[in-house]
Amino acid sequence: MIAARVLEKNVTDLNRNAIRKSALLLDERLKKITVTAMSGMLDDSFTSTMRDIRLSNPGSYFAHFAELQSWFMLMKVNEPAIESVLVTTPIGDFYPTTEFRLSENSFLQSGMYPIIKEKKHNVWVPEHKDMFFGGKRSVISLVMEPLIDDHTRMDGVYIVVNINVSTLIEALTDEWGVSAADLYLMTLTGSNVFTSLPFARPFLHKPDFLERIAVPAAQPFVYQDARKDYLVDVERIRLTDDWILVGVRPTDDLYKQVSAIQWTTVAIISSCGLLALLFSRVVTSYLLRPLAQLVQLMKKVEASDLTVRFETSRHDEIALVGNRFNRMLEEIALLIEGMKAADRSKRVAEMKALQAQINPHFLYNTLYTIYWKAELAQYEDVKEMTFSLSQLFQLGLNSGRETTTLEKEVLHVSEYLAILKKCYDDWFEYEIDLEEGLQLMRLPKLLLQPLVENTVMHGFQSRKSGGRIVIGIKRIREKISLTVEDNGCGMDAGKVEAAAKSPAGGSSSYALRNIYERLQLYYGSAADLNIESNPGVLTKVQLVVPQDHQELEWEEADERRNNFMRN
């Protein structure tokens, strides 16, 4: 009962923290969209347009209409979720020329106008069909009154920023993770903000439920419906007036570990009863136990297990034989450890020599691109690339360790791809899929980045756009598969694979051969490299390594060896 109460409290707290984190992520997403729209008001084309509107100068309408097109485009680039933008003013409406304006629908006659007039601040409108532009797309809208140079609002000027619902939902689902199915974004009146996502729980519309979630600073509570209990948690969205994020999870799912604890307790009690029944037999075999133990240890030594030791609290002849037996094993282990230490030192030196050859390979092109962007005054890109480069080398150095985790290896290649995206813009897209549960698995560092570099520099050399890279890491039975796939120009797979596995391979297969040699040094024959290629369609490089590799990390192995030799 004590364990059950503690577990229920911990689960409730974890669920509460998850809801708060999800609400914070949504607030950050809405804040980013708001900041994108507000920062755009500092653009010269926008401020000059507002000045002419204040002077009631309709003759400049068409000139400003053309000037604002770059402003509209910049907003969509900074925030891809923005579907369209409408600026309604006394001298006419401004909007992107890529959109078809439905002139019969005026903002002043829409339901948004009285809301912004009443609240006098930014207003978020739940999902609806876009009434201002053709296509009737599902959007949520941010309605704003712009500020001009003296920080005063423009009378009669309103900005409507339409956010693509599908894009926003997809981004939020990725950020929220697996708990997204239990989260509902709704208003205090019980309506769904995302009307295209129907409520999976019918009781979300019930008056007694709405009354409980509408309470300011509502605490988590248990709601019963159809004889089933649900843990409900509510978090308000700070950037809106009446939007709330409601988390609803069945208590059966949350507290299922309580039942496991109960059955474990029963199992332990049953085991204790069984041990009591066997106790008499243990007592009868007490006198012969040391001798039987020594015989069993000898059998293990015959099976090449030198870690066994004879232990006894007695001081008779059997104890004397056991001590001699232990000393013999220690001397044998010392000799074997010395041989292993010499072999390991050789392998460590070879491993570091191979990795040192590829660490600076990427630096030259990146520094040149940063220099070029600095020359063009693209300082944001320079800052981002410099930060990504520092992260890249921090992960690559890895505090001097030669092995890393899959999570850090994926982060390293992500930073590398981020830099390439800055260098080559729309040249390619990429996707990384790391199977859950493999993040902490250790392996030699710098395996994925050389494969991706080969893809970009050789596979896409004849492309100007449309490239695609897919990095996948998953379990295959007792192995781990790391694959890099692309739709580049391809290669002669058999020839390149043979060259990579040959010590005398050509320069064109240098990166692959380097990776293969490092895998062989660390895993031996348990690791492999496979290449498939269909030019222009799919080229796939696969690394296969064992999941449960018992090889000590190099630094730990050296430290243990040195301590052993000192002793």
Side-chain angles (χ1 to χ4, degrees), residues 236-508:
R236 289 183 177 265
I237 306 304
R238 292 176 293 179
L239 290 185
T240 63
D241 291 332
D242 63 345
W243 290 11
I244 55 176
L245 187 65
V246 181
V248 179
R249 296 192 64 184
T251 56
D252 292 344
D253 296 341
L254 291 172
Y255 303 143
K256 59 185 177 182
Q257 292 183 0
V258 175
S259 177
I261 291 176
Q262 294 171 343
W263 283 108
T264 302
T265 304
V266 172
I268 292 174
I269 294 175
S270 300
S271 300
C272 290
L274 181 61
L275 289 175
L277 295 175
L278 298 176
F279 180 71
S280 59
R281 185 174 182 179
V282 173
V283 172
T284 58
S285 61
Y286 173 73
L287 295 176
L288 297 177
R289 185 184 303 169
L291 185 58
Q293 179 186 2
L294 185 58
V295 172
Q296 292 299 322
L297 293 179
M298 289 180 177
K299 291 181 178 180
K300 291 184 178 180
V301 172
E302 290 177 0
S304 301
D305 184 1
L306 300 180
T307 62
V308 298
R309 293 294 183 271
F310 178 77
E311 297 179 359
T312 182
S313 58
R314 298 184 178 188
H315 301 282
D316 52 13
E317 291 79 2
I318 296 179
L320 180 61
V321 173
N323 292 333
R324 295 291 184 181
F325 175 76
N326 290 343
R327 182 174 297 180
M328 177 189 69
L329 292 179
E330 290 172 357
E331 292 178 356
I332 294 174
L334 183 63
L335 292 173
I336 294 176
E337 188 65 25
M339 297 176 63
K340 286 184 177 180
D343 181 64
R344 189 181 300 277
S345 297
K346 177 183 177 182
R347 293 172 63 189
V348 169
E350 292 176 350
M351 180 75 129
K352 291 184 177 181
L354 286 170
Q355 288 186 339
Q357 297 175 20
I358 67 173
N359 286 337
H361 190 71
F362 173 63
L363 178 62
Y364 308 112
N365 290 339
T366 302
L367 292 177
Y368 181 79
T369 303
I370 293 175
Y371 169 78
W372 174 74
K373 286 183 176 288
E375 285 286 323
L376 297 178
Q378 297 178 5
Y379 299 124
E380 286 299 321
D381 285 350
V382 170
K383 290 193 293 184
E384 293 177 9
M385 290 184 68
T386 304
F387 178 76
S388 293
L389 187 61
S390 68
Q391 289 289 97
L392 188 74
F393 277 95
Q394 182 181 7
L395 293 167
L397 291 173
N398 196 30
S399 302
R401 296 189 171 203
E402 302 306 321
T403 63
T404 185
T405 63
L406 269 174
E407 184 178 30
K408 289 184 178 181
E409 181 73 2
V410 168
L411 181 58
H412 180 268
V413 78
S414 297
E415 295 292 354
Y416 174 77
L417 286 166
I419 293 175
L420 287 182
K421 286 287 289 181
K422 288 292 183 184
C423 294
Y424 303 106
D425 199 11
D426 296 329
W427 196 10
F428 66 90
E429 298 294 334
Y430 68 89
E431 175 185 341
I432 301 177
D433 182 19
L434 172 60
E435 183 174 327
E436 189 67 27
L438 298 179
Q439 289 87 343
L440 299 181
M441 176 185 166
R442 301 199 70 85
L443 75 171
K445 65 182 181 180
L446 295 176
L447 294 180
L448 294 176
Q449 182 267 339
L451 299 181
V452 172
E453 181 177 358
N454 266 5
T455 294
V456 175
M457 298 307 171
H458 302 298
F460 294 160
Q461 60 183 351
S462 61
R463 281 183 175 271
K464 296 187 180 296
S465 63
R468 178 170 176 79
I469 301 174
V470 178
I471 300 174
I473 304 172
K474 62 182 179 180
R475 294 183 181 90
I476 300 180
R477 291 184 287 275
E478 297 180 358
K479 302 279 188 176
I480 301 299
S481 170
L482 300 88
T483 60
V484 176
E485 302 178 7
D486 65 82
N487 59 347
C489 61
M491 64 183 79
D492 186 336
K495 180 179 178 181
V496 174
E497 182 176 332
K501 296 180 178 181
S502 171
S507 60
S508 60

